[in-house]
Amino acid sequence: MCGIVGYIGNKRAAPIILAGLKRLEYRGYDSAGVSTIDGGALTMAKKAGKVADLERATTVSKTEGTIGIGHTRWATHGVPNDVNAHPHADSSDNIVLVHNGIIENYVTIKKKLTAQGYAFKSDTDSEVLAVFIGMLYKTFGNFEQAVRTALCEVEGTFGIVVMCAEHPDMLIAARRGSPLILGVGNDEYVVASDAAAIVSHTRQVVYLHENEMAIVTRNGFTTKTILDIETDPVIEEISIELEQIEKGGFPHFMLKEIFEQPTTFHDGFRGRLLVDEGNVRLGGLSTVTDRLLNAKRIIITACGTSWHAALIGEYLLENMARIPVEVEYASEFRYRNPIIDSSDVVIAISQSGETADTLSAIRLAKANGATVIGMVNVVGSSIARETDAGVYLHAGPEIGVASTKAFTSQLCVLTQFSLYMARTRGMSAETGREIATALEAIPEMIERILAKSDEVKEIARQYADASNFLYLGRGYNFPVALEGALKLKEISYIHAEGYPAAEMKHGPIALINENMPVVFIAPKDEIYEKVVSNIEEVRARQGKVIAIASESDDFIDTVANHVIKIPDTLPMLIPILASIPLQLLAYHIAVFRDCNVDMPRNLAKSVTVE
Ligand code: G6P
């Protein structure tokens, strides 16, 4: 959601914070702000828009002070204007904070503070927290105690970094439901919501736990719970490299990430896939092997693109391992009083590992005794840490807001998990070998599809002005249609719907005319003929057909307006290949429409609020 950076050390804080905020902008980009303590007084610069707008419009980059905090925002409370931008100070300009999350009882606290004569400049819940801490500081005269007391009173979620002008040698960071990482350097510390803002300073980090706070000075730090119980911080090493969070010559992160897929897909099975044995070794699941063997049912929960991967996972697991699977939007699952018990295995799929609804869903599943497994990309993220066991995606940092490489890595991991489950439930080694061999060939096939980027770009040019798109597929490829439509609407703002191809006749067919491009995922599989009939129904109504088809298919060129060929593989692996041209199509259309591909309006990469 929002990005947070705090710095305390011997260097000027503002340039370090601004550089960190730019790395975190993919998390939110409605407004940005920086505050430092200089000569015992707070400096403050904030602005609606991106970090570059803040730098252009203010003198922030010249700000002095070796302690500071900054924020890039994705608005929840209050419109994204200068006043609502973070940091927020209390009424005496003594306490200042940046906040990620939502203070749910802010109205009650605000009422009490207003009754005591406190006034507010913004519409945000975060300013209420700043004023509240300021009021408690006046009462106790102790900065740390004021922060702790306030955090025990607030309901909801927070990742905060707080400074006090009267304590220019201390930063306090705390979290509940919103990630915060403390980077430990040599006499300098960087606190951030994401490792991307820390990695250029230090690789030594402490992941703060739920309801934990860090009290950081220039000479060291301590951690404790908000109930004042000391904790033992564990310093870990982060593994991401600086190049991984830079564009590397590509015009956009999204395009870079699309082109990384041959490598990221390979990384997803490297050291795991045992081709000769027709099996898979998933070290992260070794502690739950028995529980997996005895599972009566698997529930997969996720949001957004990860939910589409989950749907494909359902087809994979049921087909290969013959185990019943249910797929749930995490936001629905957690509020519908689902029936879960200790014989269930719940899988949470998440790129960020921080999505609030998914996190709450796994907590509910755990509370009901289920075994909870994570399939997560971000190492050390909340979901990764709260699950009983897990399989990392190994896709590397994904910065583009529209998920691409994480999606194919999710399919890589889900295919291997299904193969592993199938082999424990009676699938022959020979069938296992056939699947493992086909999976191993996928990275080279992705390379071949990426080589067609210009071909896809030419199709994109012809349809960049369309107002609507329909995406149709069947079986394994119905979720691919959903994902193709989601990619397009996320970054080009064209309305797009995904449907099972055969359902077209029950509604969407009414929309088809000469202005409707329809994307068919139509590989040569057992329902190919049926999909071709659907294509003909669209053509009969003058719809324009873009078909994603098998290399071995010569017929489809006679019925579709445009054909993008993908290599032939097993039907269960087609979604991986078919999603690549759809990512490219959405990308090129968005670029033709001059859209900000990496930072689409209103979206955020990591949704840490409900
Ligand atoms: C946001 C992102 C999507 C992502 C979804 C779930 O909406 O913009 O790209 O698919 O959250 O995120 P997760 O990190 O849990 O996969």
Side-chain angles (χ1 to χ4, degrees), residues 522-577:
K524 273 257 176 184
D525 57 15
E526 57 192 16
I527 36 180
Y528 171 75
E529 268 78 28
K530 308 252 187 252
V531 176
V532 168
S533 305
N534 296 140
I535 291 178
E536 278 165 350
E537 285 158 13
V538 170
R539 288 303 305 277
R541 289 158 184 84
Q542 277 80 50
K544 302 289 184 292
V545 173
I546 302 164
I548 312 296
S550 303
E551 264 171 5
S552 60
D553 183 355
D554 298 328
F555 172 75
I556 197 135
D557 304 74
T558 62
V559 285
N561 300 78
H562 311 272
V563 180
I564 305 165
K565 296 267 172 85
I566 57 173
D568 291 66
T569 182
L570 297 176
M572 66 179 68
L573 303 181
I574 289 289
I576 302 158
L577 300 184

Coordinates of all heavy atoms in Angstrom, one line a residue, residues 522-577:
A522 N -7.3 -20.7 -27.5 CA -7.8 -21.8 -28.3 C -6.7 -22.8 -28.6 O -6.4 -23.0 -29.8 CB -8.5 -21.3 -29.5
P523 N -6.1 -23.4 -27.6 CA -5.0 -24.4 -28.0 C -5.6 -25.7 -28.5 O -6.8 -25.9 -28.3 CB -4.3 -24.6 -26.6 CG -5.4 -24.4 -25.6 CD -6.3 -23.3 -26.2
K524 N -4.8 -26.5 -29.2 CA -5.3 -27.8 -29.7 C -5.4 -28.7 -28.5 O -4.4 -29.4 -28.2 CB -4.3 -28.3 -30.7 CG -4.5 -27.8 -32.1 CD -5.1 -28.9 -32.9 CE -5.5 -28.5 -34.3 NZ -6.2 -29.5 -35.0
D525 N -6.6 -28.8 -27.9 CA -6.8 -29.7 -26.8 C -8.1 -30.4 -27.0 O -8.7 -30.3 -28.1 CB -6.7 -29.0 -25.4 CG -7.7 -27.9 -25.3 OD1 -8.6 -27.8 -26.1 OD2 -7.6 -27.1 -24.4
E526 N -8.6 -31.1 -26.0 CA -9.8 -31.9 -26.3 C -11.1 -31.1 -26.5 O -12.1 -31.6 -27.0 CB -10.0 -33.0 -25.2 CG -10.1 -32.3 -23.8 CD -10.0 -33.4 -22.7 OE1 -9.6 -34.5 -23.0 OE2 -10.4 -33.0 -21.6
I527 N -11.0 -29.8 -26.2 CA -12.2 -29.0 -26.4 C -12.0 -28.0 -27.5 O -12.8 -27.0 -27.7 CB -12.8 -28.3 -25.1 CG1 -11.6 -27.9 -24.2 CG2 -13.8 -29.2 -24.4 CD1 -12.1 -27.2 -22.9
Y528 N -11.0 -28.2 -28.3 CA -10.6 -27.3 -29.4 C -11.8 -27.0 -30.3 O -12.1 -25.9 -30.6 CB -9.4 -27.8 -30.1 CG -9.0 -27.1 -31.4 CD1 -8.4 -25.8 -31.3 CD2 -9.3 -27.6 -32.6 CE1 -8.1 -25.1 -32.5 CE2 -9.0 -27.0 -33.8 CZ -8.4 -25.7 -33.7 OH -8.1 -25.0 -34.9
E529 N -12.4 -28.1 -30.8 CA -13.5 -27.9 -31.8 C -14.6 -27.0 -31.2 O -15.2 -26.2 -31.9 CB -14.1 -29.3 -32.2 CG -13.4 -29.9 -33.4 CD -12.1 -30.5 -33.0 OE1 -11.9 -30.9 -31.9 OE2 -11.2 -30.6 -33.9
K530 N -14.9 -27.2 -29.9 CA -16.0 -26.4 -29.3 C -15.6 -25.0 -29.3 O -16.4 -24.1 -29.5 CB -16.2 -26.9 -27.9 CG -16.5 -28.4 -27.7 CD -17.9 -28.6 -27.4 CE -18.1 -30.1 -27.1 NZ -18.8 -30.9 -28.1
V531 N -14.3 -24.7 -29.0 CA -13.9 -23.3 -29.0 C -13.9 -22.7 -30.4 O -14.3 -21.5 -30.5 CB -12.5 -23.2 -28.3 CG1 -12.0 -21.7 -28.3 CG2 -12.5 -23.7 -26.9
V532 N -13.6 -23.5 -31.4 CA -13.6 -23.0 -32.8 C -15.1 -22.6 -33.1 O -15.3 -21.6 -33.8 CB -13.1 -24.0 -33.7 CG1 -13.4 -23.6 -35.2 CG2 -11.5 -24.1 -33.5
S533 N -16.0 -23.4 -32.6 CA -17.5 -23.1 -32.9 C -17.8 -21.7 -32.3 O -18.5 -20.9 -32.9 CB -18.4 -24.1 -32.3 OG -18.1 -25.3 -32.7
N534 N -17.3 -21.5 -31.1 CA -17.5 -20.2 -30.4 C -16.9 -19.0 -31.3 O -17.4 -18.0 -31.4 CB -16.9 -20.1 -29.0 CG -17.6 -21.1 -28.1 OD1 -16.9 -21.8 -27.3 ND2 -18.9 -21.3 -28.2
I535 N -15.7 -19.3 -31.8 CA -15.0 -18.3 -32.6 C -15.9 -18.0 -33.8 O -16.1 -16.8 -34.2 CB -13.6 -18.8 -33.1 CG1 -12.7 -18.9 -31.9 CG2 -13.1 -17.9 -34.2 CD1 -11.3 -19.4 -32.3
E536 N -16.5 -19.0 -34.4 CA -17.3 -18.8 -35.6 C -18.6 -18.0 -35.2 O -19.1 -17.1 -36.0 CB -17.7 -20.1 -36.3 CG -16.5 -20.4 -37.2 CD -16.4 -21.9 -37.7 OE1 -17.2 -22.7 -37.2 OE2 -15.6 -22.1 -38.5
E537 N -19.1 -18.2 -34.0 CA -20.3 -17.4 -33.6 C -19.9 -16.0 -33.5 O -20.7 -15.1 -33.8 CB -20.7 -18.0 -32.2 CG -21.5 -19.3 -32.3 CD -21.5 -20.1 -30.9 OE1 -21.1 -19.5 -29.9 OE2 -21.8 -21.3 -31.0
V538 N -18.7 -15.7 -33.0 CA -18.3 -14.3 -32.9 C -18.1 -13.7 -34.3 O -18.6 -12.6 -34.6 CB -17.0 -14.2 -32.1 CG1 -16.4 -12.8 -32.1 CG2 -17.2 -14.6 -30.6
R539 N -17.4 -14.4 -35.2 CA -17.2 -13.9 -36.5 C -18.6 -13.6 -37.2 O -18.7 -12.7 -37.9 CB -16.4 -14.9 -37.3 CG -14.9 -15.0 -36.9 CD -14.2 -13.7 -37.0 NE -14.3 -13.0 -38.3 CZ -13.5 -13.3 -39.3 NH1 -12.6 -14.2 -39.2 NH2 -13.7 -12.7 -40.5
A540 N -19.5 -14.5 -37.0 CA -20.8 -14.3 -37.6 C -21.5 -13.0 -37.2 O -22.4 -12.5 -37.9 CB -21.7 -15.5 -37.3
R541 N -21.1 -12.5 -36.1 CA -21.6 -11.2 -35.6 C -20.7 -10.1 -35.8 O -20.7 -9.1 -35.1 CB -22.1 -11.4 -34.1 CG -23.3 -12.3 -34.0 CD -23.5 -12.9 -32.7 NE -24.6 -13.8 -32.8 CZ -24.6 -15.1 -33.2 NH1 -23.5 -15.6 -33.6 NH2 -25.7 -15.8 -33.2
Q542 N -19.7 -10.2 -36.7 CA -18.7 -9.2 -37.0 C -17.7 -8.9 -36.0 O -17.0 -7.9 -36.0 CB -19.3 -7.9 -37.5 CG -19.8 -7.9 -39.0 CD -21.1 -8.6 -39.2 OE1 -22.0 -8.3 -38.5 NE2 -21.1 -9.5 -40.1
G543 N -17.7 -9.7 -34.9 CA -16.7 -9.5 -33.8 C -15.3 -9.7 -34.4 O -15.1 -10.5 -35.3
K544 N -14.3 -9.1 -33.8 CA -12.9 -9.3 -34.2 C -12.2 -10.3 -33.3 O -12.2 -10.1 -32.1 CB -12.1 -8.0 -34.2 CG -12.8 -6.8 -35.0 CD -12.6 -7.1 -36.5 CE -13.1 -6.0 -37.3 NZ -14.6 -5.8 -37.3
V545 N -11.7 -11.3 -33.9 CA -11.1 -12.4 -33.1 C -9.6 -12.4 -33.1 O -8.9 -12.4 -34.2 CB -11.6 -13.8 -33.7 CG1 -10.9 -15.0 -33.0 CG2 -13.1 -13.9 -33.5
I546 N -9.0 -12.4 -31.9 CA -7.6 -12.6 -31.7 C -7.4 -13.9 -31.0 O -7.9 -14.1 -29.9 CB -7.0 -11.4 -30.8 CG1 -7.3 -10.1 -31.4 CG2 -5.5 -11.6 -30.5 CD1 -7.2 -8.9 -30.4
A547 N -6.8 -14.8 -31.7 CA -6.7 -16.2 -31.1 C -5.3 -16.5 -30.7 O -4.3 -16.2 -31.3 CB -7.1 -17.2 -32.2
I548 N -5.2 -17.1 -29.5 CA -3.9 -17.6 -29.0 C -4.0 -19.1 -29.3 O -4.9 -19.8 -28.7 CB -3.8 -17.4 -27.4 CG1 -4.1 -16.0 -27.0 CG2 -2.4 -17.9 -27.0 CD1 -3.2 -14.9 -27.5
A549 N -3.2 -19.6 -30.2 CA -3.4 -20.9 -30.7 C -2.1 -21.7 -30.7 O -1.0 -21.2 -30.6 CB -4.0 -20.9 -32.1
S550 N -2.2 -23.0 -30.9 CA -1.0 -23.9 -30.9 C -0.3 -23.8 -32.2 O -0.9 -23.6 -33.3 CB -1.5 -25.4 -30.8 OG -2.2 -25.5 -29.6
E551 N 1.0 -23.9 -32.1 CA 1.9 -23.8 -33.3 C 1.5 -24.9 -34.4 O 1.6 -24.6 -35.6 CB 3.4 -24.1 -32.9 CG 4.2 -22.9 -32.7 CD 5.5 -23.2 -32.1 OE1 5.9 -24.4 -31.9 OE2 6.2 -22.2 -31.7
S552 N 1.0 -26.0 -33.9 CA 0.6 -27.1 -34.8 C -0.7 -26.9 -35.5 O -1.2 -27.7 -36.3 CB 0.6 -28.4 -34.1 OG -0.4 -28.3 -33.1
D553 N -1.4 -25.8 -35.2 CA -2.8 -25.6 -35.7 C -2.7 -24.7 -37.0 O -2.5 -23.5 -36.9 CB -3.6 -24.9 -34.6 CG -5.0 -24.6 -35.0 OD1 -5.4 -24.9 -36.1 OD2 -5.8 -24.2 -34.1
D554 N -3.0 -25.3 -38.1 CA -3.0 -24.5 -39.4 C -4.4 -24.0 -39.7 O -4.6 -23.1 -40.5 CB -2.6 -25.4 -40.6 CG -1.2 -25.9 -40.4 OD1 -0.4 -25.1 -39.7 OD2 -0.9 -27.0 -40.8
F555 N -5.4 -24.6 -39.1 CA -6.8 -24.3 -39.5 C -7.2 -22.9 -38.9 O -7.9 -22.1 -39.6 CB -7.7 -25.4 -38.9 CG -9.2 -25.0 -39.1 CD1 -9.8 -25.1 -40.4 CD2 -9.9 -24.6 -38.0 CE1 -11.1 -24.7 -40.5 CE2 -11.3 -24.2 -38.2 CZ -11.9 -24.3 -39.4
I556 N -6.8 -22.6 -37.7 CA -7.3 -21.4 -37.0 C -7.1 -20.1 -37.8 O -8.0 -19.2 -37.7 CB -6.7 -21.3 -35.6 CG1 -7.6 -20.4 -34.7 CG2 -5.3 -20.9 -35.5 CD1 -7.9 -21.0 -33.3
D557 N -6.1 -20.1 -38.6 CA -5.8 -18.8 -39.4 C -7.0 -18.5 -40.3 O -7.2 -17.4 -40.7 CB -4.5 -19.0 -40.2 CG -3.3 -19.3 -39.3 OD1 -3.3 -20.5 -38.8 OD2 -2.5 -18.4 -39.0
T558 N -7.8 -19.5 -40.6 CA -8.9 -19.3 -41.6 C -10.1 -18.8 -40.9 O -11.0 -18.3 -41.5 CB -9.3 -20.6 -42.3 OG1 -9.7 -21.6 -41.3 CG2 -8.1 -21.3 -43.0
V559 N -10.2 -18.8 -39.6 CA -11.4 -18.3 -38.9 C -11.1 -17.1 -38.0 O -12.0 -16.3 -37.7 CB -12.1 -19.4 -38.0 CG1 -12.8 -20.4 -38.8 CG2 -11.1 -20.1 -37.1
A560 N -9.8 -16.9 -37.6 CA -9.6 -15.7 -36.7 C -9.0 -14.6 -37.5 O -8.4 -14.8 -38.5 CB -8.6 -16.2 -35.6
N561 N -9.2 -13.3 -37.0 CA -8.6 -12.2 -37.6 C -7.1 -12.1 -37.4 O -6.3 -11.7 -38.2 CB -9.2 -10.9 -37.1 CG -10.7 -10.9 -37.4 OD1 -11.5 -11.5 -36.7 ND2 -11.1 -10.2 -38.4
H562 N -6.7 -12.5 -36.2 CA -5.3 -12.5 -35.8 C -5.0 -13.7 -35.0 O -5.8 -14.1 -34.2 CB -5.0 -11.3 -34.9 CG -5.5 -10.0 -35.4 ND1 -4.8 -9.2 -36.3 CD2 -6.7 -9.4 -35.2 CE1 -5.5 -8.1 -36.6 NE2 -6.7 -8.2 -35.9
V563 N -3.8 -14.3 -35.2 CA -3.5 -15.5 -34.5 C -2.1 -15.3 -33.9 O -1.1 -14.9 -34.6 CB -3.4 -16.7 -35.4 CG1 -3.1 -18.0 -34.6 CG2 -4.8 -16.9 -36.1
I564 N -1.9 -15.6 -32.6 CA -0.6 -15.6 -32.0 C -0.4 -17.1 -31.6 O -1.1 -17.6 -30.8 CB -0.6 -14.7 -30.7 CG1 -1.0 -13.3 -31.1 CG2 0.8 -14.7 -30.1 CD1 -1.4 -12.4 -29.9
K565 N 0.7 -17.6 -32.2 CA 0.9 -19.0 -31.9 C 1.9 -19.2 -30.7 O 2.8 -18.5 -30.6 CB 1.6 -19.7 -33.2 CG 0.7 -19.6 -34.4 CD -0.1 -20.9 -34.6 CE -1.1 -20.9 -35.7 NZ -0.6 -21.3 -37.0
I566 N 1.5 -20.3 -30.0 CA 2.4 -20.6 -28.8 C 2.8 -22.1 -29.0 O 2.1 -22.9 -29.6 CB 1.7 -20.4 -27.5 CG1 0.3 -21.2 -27.4 CG2 1.4 -19.0 -27.2 CD1 -0.3 -21.2 -26.0
P567 N 3.9 -22.5 -28.5 CA 4.4 -23.9 -28.7 C 3.4 -24.9 -28.1 O 2.7 -24.6 -27.1 CB 5.7 -23.9 -27.9 CG 6.2 -22.5 -27.8 CD 4.9 -21.7 -27.8
D568 N 3.4 -26.1 -28.7 CA 2.5 -27.2 -28.2 C 3.1 -27.7 -26.9 O 4.4 -28.0 -26.8 CB 2.4 -28.3 -29.2 CG 1.7 -27.9 -30.4 OD1 2.1 -27.0 -31.2 OD2 0.5 -28.4 -30.6
T569 N 2.3 -28.0 -25.9 CA 2.8 -28.6 -24.7 C 1.6 -29.4 -24.1 O 0.5 -29.4 -24.7 CB 3.3 -27.6 -23.7 OG1 3.8 -28.3 -22.5 CG2 2.3 -26.6 -23.2
L570 N 1.7 -29.9 -22.9 CA 0.6 -30.6 -22.2 C -0.5 -29.6 -21.9 O -0.2 -28.4 -21.6 CB 1.1 -31.2 -20.9 CG 2.1 -32.3 -21.0 CD1 2.5 -32.7 -19.6 CD2 1.6 -33.5 -21.8
P571 N -1.8 -29.9 -22.1 CA -2.9 -29.0 -21.8 C -2.7 -28.3 -20.4 O -3.0 -27.1 -20.3 CB -4.1 -29.9 -21.8 CG -3.7 -31.0 -22.7 CD -2.3 -31.3 -22.5
M572 N -2.2 -29.0 -19.4 CA -2.2 -28.4 -18.1 C -1.1 -27.3 -18.0 O -1.2 -26.5 -17.1 CB -1.9 -29.5 -17.0 CG -0.5 -30.1 -17.2 SD -0.1 -31.3 -16.0 CE -1.2 -32.6 -16.4
L573 N -0.2 -27.3 -19.0 CA 0.8 -26.2 -18.9 C 0.5 -25.1 -19.9 O 1.2 -24.1 -19.9 CB 2.2 -26.8 -19.3 CG 2.6 -28.0 -18.3 CD1 4.0 -28.5 -18.7 CD2 2.6 -27.6 -16.9
I574 N -0.5 -25.2 -20.7 CA -0.9 -24.1 -21.6 C -1.1 -22.8 -20.9 O -0.7 -21.7 -21.4 CB -2.1 -24.6 -22.5 CG1 -1.8 -25.7 -23.5 CG2 -2.7 -23.4 -23.2 CD1 -0.9 -25.2 -24.6
P575 N -1.8 -22.8 -19.8 CA -2.0 -21.4 -19.1 C -0.7 -20.6 -19.0 O -0.8 -19.4 -19.1 CB -2.6 -21.8 -17.8 CG -3.3 -23.1 -18.0 CD -2.4 -23.8 -19.0
I576 N 0.4 -21.3 -18.7 CA 1.6 -20.6 -18.5 C 2.0 -19.9 -19.8 O 2.3 -18.7 -19.8 CB 2.8 -21.6 -18.1 CG1 2.4 -22.3 -16.8 CG2 4.1 -20.8 -17.9 CD1 3.1 -23.6 -16.6
L577 N 2.0 -20.7 -20.9 CA 2.4 -20.1 -22.2 C 1.4 -19.1 -22.7 O 1.7 -18.0 -23.2 CB 2.6 -21.2 -23.2 CG 3.6 -22.3 -22.8 CD1 3.7 -23.3 -24.0 CD2 5.0 -21.6 -22.6

